[in-house]
Amino acid sequence: MESLTPSRAAELLDRATASRILVIGDLMLDRYITGAVDRISPEAPVPVVLVEEESSAVGGAGNVAANVAALGVGCTAVGCAGRDPAGDDLRRALEAAGVETDGLVLTDDRPTTVKTRILARRQQVVRVDREMEGDAPRELAAAIIEVIQDQVARADVMVLEDYNKGVLVPDVIAAAMAAAEQRGLPVVVDPKRRNFFGFEGATVVKPNAKELSDALGDFLHPGDSEWMESTRKRLGCENLLITLGERGMALQTASGGHVRVPTVARAVYDVSGAGDTVSAVVAVVLAGGGTVEEAAVLANHAAAVEVGKAGVATVTRAEILEHIGSL
């Protein structure tokens, strides 16, 4: 395919600002505790971190939503949080990122998923997780489905972002896909192992290489168009977009087209959150009327910007366009 020009990219991003994207999935709160290490604990052979700074940000599906909002596109996040202080922090973090929280379902059944990273001199020392990974109980799933059916009327594109934390159970997936089909909405899916083959009919399924290899139980052949087409049909999606890290991306389209998108990252500082950025930008480009091929190329540029930043981060329209124009 032809390269994506800065003017065409700008046109697609500008068009998308009149749209609204519904992001459904596992919402998380990322906490960061940063400090200095000057000694080893006398109690155990571990570093002692003297805390200097603490901060919070949205993670998981919330990071996809934050990336959408950072591009100036309306976004509503649908998921659950516990009735706990972390749930309050998650709501505030989403709102601070410009994401609507009307779709946030509060529950007493499970705590808010929190991932706390302790860093010293920008290096992660340890991560502490608070979460419940089991499937959402029937009552909670029903409440999430009700929110989806209410919110879908305002959406132009739907994103299903699975982190295997229990929100995207089969009933929720089926209801979301049915609601999108009824409204004719494109659906972008980032699947995980538990329900990997449950998104038949999706517009774009976007696994990374490890996720897809684990799900198939086999090696990947992203350069083989016949293998890509067979895998696309097995997943039952219109378009299959595999992110391959330093090898870029591989796209197989509904029309049988096979596209390799080479990496354009100039420097890789931290790959955390790059997949979320790709999901968000693919959805935004589709909302702006772009093709799947254009969505893949523009998302590849956005990911290149994101991996040049420390930690999980969002990217802006200006950063993406600058990156495209610099090559």
Side-chain angles (χ1 to χ4, degrees), residues 5 19 23 41 59 63 76 108 129 131 133 213 274 279 320:
T5 64
S19 305
V23 177
S41 171
N63 187 46
T76 301
D108 295 314
D129 291 357
E131 63 186 16
E133 292 187 323
S213 180
S279 295
I320 296 172

Side-chain angles (χ1 to χ4, degrees), residues 8-20:
R8 175 59 176 166
E11 178 187 2
L12 292 170
L13 293 173
D14 289 345
R15 283 182 184 174
T17 58
S19 305
R20 176 161 299 278

Side-chain angles (χ1 to χ4, degrees), residues 46-315:
V46 295
V48 175
V49 179
L50 181 62
V51 176
E52 297 174 339
E53 183 181 358
E54 297 186 50
S55 61
S56 298
V58 289
N63 187 46
V64 176
N67 270 274
V68 170
L71 292 172
V73 180
C75 185
T76 301
V78 175
C80 69
R83 285 193 176 89
D84 50 32
D88 296 335
D89 289 344
L90 175 61
R91 179 185 290 276
R92 284 191 288 267
L94 285 166
E95 291 172 347
V99 178
E100 289 192 8
T101 57
D102 295 346
L104 187 61
V105 178
L106 299 180
T107 177
D108 295 314
D109 293 327
R110 55 213 292 129
T112 303
T113 298
V114 181
K115 298 186 180 298
T116 303
R117 296 165 175 85
I118 301 176
L119 302 98
R121 295 190 179 90
R122 295 189 175 183
Q123 298 296 315
Q124 189 172 147
V125 176
V126 68
R127 193 179 90 181
V128 180
D129 291 357
R130 294 181 177 91
E131 63 186 16
M132 184 179 291
E133 292 187 323
D135 285 354
R138 183 171 300 175
E139 295 79 7
L140 178 56
I144 293 169
I145 290 170
E146 185 176 349
V147 169
I148 292 170
Q149 293 171 338
D150 178 59
Q151 292 291 333
V152 74
R154 303 170 58 219
D156 298 287
V157 177
M158 180 184 289
V159 179
L160 298 176
E161 188 73 19
D162 195 1
Y163 273 82
N164 277 352
K165 306 302 179 189
V167 167
L168 290 177
V169 295
D171 285 351
V172 172
I173 294 170
M177 296 295 293
E181 182 180 10
Q182 186 175 16
R183 289 227 40 234
L185 303 185
V187 180
V188 178
V189 176
D190 190 352
K192 292 295 183 289
R193 184 68 181 91
R194 196 179 300 170
N195 296 300
F196 205 94
F197 296 95
F199 300 94
E200 187 173 353
T203 308
V204 180
V205 170
K206 187 222 66 107
N208 65 38
K210 184 180 186 308
E211 291 163 350
L212 183 57
S213 180
D214 289 348
L216 297 175
D218 201 356
F219 294 107
L220 304 187
H221 304 281
D224 183 339
S225 61
E226 292 185 3
W227 181 89
M228 287 285 292
E229 178 64 10
S230 174
T231 303
R232 183 191 70 80
K233 289 180 177 178
R234 182 174 175 183
L235 291 171
C237 59
E238 293 180 25
N239 304 279
L240 172 62
L241 177 63
I242 308 173
T243 56
L244 301 166
E246 68 277 3
R247 293 181 293 154
M249 302 180 185
L251 172 66
Q252 188 70 21
T253 69
S255 61
H258 178 64
V259 180
R260 286 301 302 267
V261 185
T263 183
V264 289
R266 290 174 294 193
V268 178
Y269 186 89
D270 190 335
V271 298
S272 302
D276 297 338
T277 298
V278 171
S279 295
V281 174
V282 168
V284 165
V285 174
L286 294 181
T291 66
V292 176
E293 293 89 346
E294 289 174 322
V297 172
L298 210 155
N300 194 42
H301 284 284
V305 174
E306 200 279 341
V307 299
K309 300 183 178 185
V312 174
T314 59
V315 299

